Each structure stands twice: as structure tokens, then as C-alpha cells.
Amino acid sequence: MRSPYREKDINRHIRISHGVPLAPMTTLGLGGPASVLVELQDPADFLEFVELARTCPGSPVCLGSGSNVLVSDLGCDSPVLRLGNRGLRIGATDAEGRALVEVQAGHLLTDLVETVIAEGLSGMEMLAGIPGTVGATPMQNVGAYGQEVSDTLVEVRAWDWVLGRHVTLSARECGLGHRSSVFKRSRRWTLLSLVFALRRSELSAPVTYGAVAGVLDVPVGGRVPLADAAEAVLTVRRRKGMVMGCTETDCRSVGSVFLSPEVGPADARRLGARNAPINSFPDGSTRVSASWLIQQAGFGLNTPIVDSVRISSLHPTLVADEGASATTFREAIDIVRQQVLRRTGVGLTVEIDLLGTWHTAGRAGAPGQA
């Protein structure tokens, strides 16, 4: 639906476009157009977007860097918001002596990680190389190599579309779990800024992953300078093709397509007997590696799944090649899930968000800030 707003009615901080392809705004490069795309630079103008959204069908969708989203080939009828608000401020310390860092939702996570490391702040060094905006991080409690957003998040400031006002939610109210939160699959909130609490330290948190410890040549549990820890994480991620721009052949990816599924004691013993990687997580869950399950189901590296969609040549995840579509990518997801369940007895849950109108079986997940 075309917005009733004309270009001359909008201030210079808000840009409204119609029928804009969303594929170039995602790392997969797939999907159709947005009926209405709103690009907002100044958070002070957010209320103008609220007024606009009330004239459009469907709940608004916020799209960040598009690194965790699959856009339907049919596009998206709901208004799509892109927040360009960037910037961070290192403020006072809290009662525990941690530095409070306020960050705008449109700020890039990679830039935040680099900045806090340069400032001698520990708590995010293991998140080096993860693409996306900071506003997207609480959606699925982004984490890697022993650190999660839940470790440092204090609060978020958001617009609540149900209450129709700005709200501040504590980290507890965000309901952060393993790649989950109250924001996941919900369009109730649009996140505008976040506050993290980081500790001043020249050394990293203990290195808990063997692959990272191996690059650093330190024992698991050792601590190293912050920048060294981040560079080791980047090295491990590059080997898997999980750093943007690090590979020419497997670049159209959304990283991990599937969550590592939670397993009960019986399945943990059964799979452990097969040398499956079984890990305990901060939320109390016990999970088996999704990558291991995919390999056990018979999907080797570079295995074609459907036309122009295959397993990466570097890591057991799906990537798109020239000629792929959102529909074929979703078909590949279903094929992998079905075969993993048949071969291993464990069901995989899709981690990525599905945006837009889908005519295939199943209900599309509602993305937050992807």
C-alpha cells in the first residue's frame, strides 16, 4: 500500500520509498520488495514513523543488516523500518564497578566490539566478527565462544506498539535464553537503544572453547589480552566462512540456519555415546551441536540440497548460489530438517527469521531486528 505521505511532508532525516527490493539488504541476497520502506536516521523522529505505520497494513518490521533473515520472494506488505541511528556513549560505572555503555540500535555490532576492546572493556571480545546491528542482538541473545548478550545487557529502550509509548525493559524483562528472548517472533517492540555493563580489564574472559584456545596456544580457561582473544575468534570464524567478506564462494549465508537443539538426559547419553558434542548452556539447557547432526544425517561439505542451494564448503550450514530463490532456500531447510530427524531422531529448529508473505506450508516467523 502506498504511503499517504509525500516526500515534501517528511523531514530530511526520514526517507520513504515504495517497492524497494529487500534482497540487497540481506546477506543471502534473496527475496522480494518492501511495499513501504522507511529509513530513519535520527531517533528523535521516531514518532513520525509511528504515525506513518498507523496508515499501513500489518505490524511494522525492523530490518537491520539482514544477516539473520530470509525474505519471501513475494516481498513484505508490512512497513519495513531501517534504523540508521548510530553512536555509543561510555558513561558512569554501576554498583559493581562496571562501565555502562549506551549504544544506539542501528550501530554495528562489529564496531561496538572493536570500540570497547580499544577502551579496555571486557565482556564482548568473543563476539568479534558477528555481523548485524546492536539492536538485533537481544532478539536471539546473540552469543559465541562462551559469551552472550545476556552476560552484559542491562536494559533496552524500545517503542511498545501495544502500549503505544516508549518503554524501558530490564535485561530480566527481555527474557533472554539460548538464542531467544521476548522479542523473538514478536513485533510488539522496536528497539531503539541498549545499555551494556562491561568490566575494565586488560585481559579477556576465560577462553572456554578449545578451538579458540588452540589458536592462542593457551589452555582452556586461560586469559589473554582482549585484542588477542578477538583476533583468535576471528581466525576460527574465518575458517568456517563466518566472517563477512572472508570467502568468495560461500558468501551468501545467514551463518547458522539451525539452533543446536535441546536434548533430555536419555538423548544426551545416546548421542554422547556416538561422540556428539554435548554442551551445557547458561540458561540451564543441554544441547547437541546442530552442525554435528547435519553431518550425521549424511550432508557433507559442499553437498547440493536443491537447485542453487547447498551445504557450505567450509562449515555444515546452508548457503545460496546464483539462481537460488527464497522458496528454494526454504525447501532446502525443510529437506535438511527432515533428514536429520530421520537419521538421528533429533528435530532441528530454524534460527533465522522469515520475513514477508509465504504461501508454503507452515507459518512464517515474525522477525524483529534481523
Side-chain angles (χ1 to χ4, degrees):
M1 177 180 291
R2 185 166 291 275
S3 161
Y5 281 67
R6 299 186 303 276
E7 189 66 32
K8 68 184 183 66
D9 295 325
I10 303 299
N11 71 50
R12 62 189 178 88
H13 297 298
I14 300 178
R15 178 182 178 184
I16 297 179
S17 309
H18 303 275
V20 179
L22 292 174
M25 302 178 193
T26 72
T27 55
L28 272 175
L30 302 174
S35 295
V36 180
L37 176 70
V38 181
E39 297 170 280
L40 188 150
Q41 300 298 320
D42 190 337
D45 299 319
F46 185 79
L47 290 180
E48 290 195 41
F49 171 70
V50 172
E51 292 302 314
L52 169 62
R54 288 171 178 161
T55 70
C56 299
S59 301
V61 177
C62 195
L63 180 65
S65 297
S67 58
N68 192 55
V69 65
L70 176 62
V71 179
S72 166
D73 293 320
L74 299 175
C76 184
D77 290 333
S78 299
V80 177
L81 172 66
R82 298 199 83 193
L83 288 171
N85 57 325
R86 298 190 179 185
L88 62 84
R89 181 176 64 87
I90 301 175
T93 58
D94 66 5
E96 297 182 31
R98 300 174 300 178
L100 298 178
V101 183
E102 181 179 5
V103 193
Q104 296 298 307
H107 204 87
L108 294 179
L109 178 59
T110 52
D111 182 81
L112 170 61
V113 172
E114 290 174 2
T115 300
V116 297
I117 288 174
E119 292 289 334
L121 298 174
S122 174
M124 290 188 163
E125 57 274 10
M126 304 301 178
L127 306 184
I130 297 178
T133 57
V134 175
T137 60
M139 297 293 163
Q140 59 185 47
N141 188 20
V142 165
Y145 302 108
Q147 287 182 342
E148 295 181 333
V149 165
S150 59
D151 297 334
T152 55
L153 184 67
V154 174
E155 65 182 28
V156 302
R157 182 171 177 267
W159 178 263
D160 187 323
W161 292 96
V162 172
L163 299 179
R165 61 179 174 86
H166 287 100
V167 296
T168 298
L169 301 177
S170 68
R172 182 184 181 87
E173 292 172 308
C174 294
L176 303 174
H178 179 71
R179 305 297 174 264
S180 66
S181 69
V182 298
F183 311 116
K184 189 75 171 174
R185 315 295 188 208
S186 172
R187 293 183 185 173
R188 176 172 175 173
W189 299 274
T190 297
L191 273 60
L192 301 174
S193 64
L194 303 86
V195 176
F196 299 93
L198 306 176
R199 297 194 180 279
R200 295 199 174 276
S201 173
E202 295 181 357
L203 297 179
S204 70
V207 179
T208 58
Y209 273 67
V212 178
V215 171
L216 291 165
D217 195 23
V218 298
V220 171
R223 301 177 66 193
V224 298
L226 293 172
D228 291 353
E231 187 55 43
V233 167
L234 287 171
T235 297
V236 174
R237 293 182 66 89
R238 289 189 190 102
R239 291 173 181 172
K240 298 180 177 181
M242 295 291 188
V243 175
M244 298 304 298
C246 72
T247 173
E248 295 182 0
T249 58
D250 290 28
C251 56
R252 294 176 62 181
S253 164
V254 280
S256 298
V257 175
F258 304 102
L259 292 170
S260 291
E262 186 172 3
V263 293
D267 275 338
R269 288 192 296 270
R270 175 176 64 85
L271 297 170
R274 297 171 58 180
N275 295 318
I278 307 288
N279 295 293
S280 298
F281 286 82
D283 65 353
S285 62
T286 299
R287 297 178 179 272
V288 59
S289 164
S291 297
W292 183 87
L293 292 169
I294 291 170
Q295 291 174 308
Q296 293 299 303
F299 296 107
L301 297 181
N302 221 27
T303 299
I305 307 299
V306 296
D307 185 33
S308 302
V309 182
R310 59 180 169 84
I311 300 294
S312 166
S313 61
L314 300 171
H315 184 65
T317 192
L318 291 170
V319 295
D321 291 323
E322 191 67 30
S325 68
T327 300
T328 57
F329 198 88
R330 194 169 182 190
E331 288 174 359
I333 289 174
D334 290 340
I335 290 170
V336 171
R337 290 180 69 187
Q338 292 165 9
Q339 190 157 320
V340 166
L341 180 60
R342 187 166 57 249
R343 297 280 187 89
T344 70
V346 179
L348 290 175
T349 299
V350 178
E351 179 175 351
I352 60 176
D353 290 317
L354 305 177
L355 188 156
T357 303
W358 296 84
H359 288 339
T360 53
R363 185 177 70 84
Q369 282 160 272

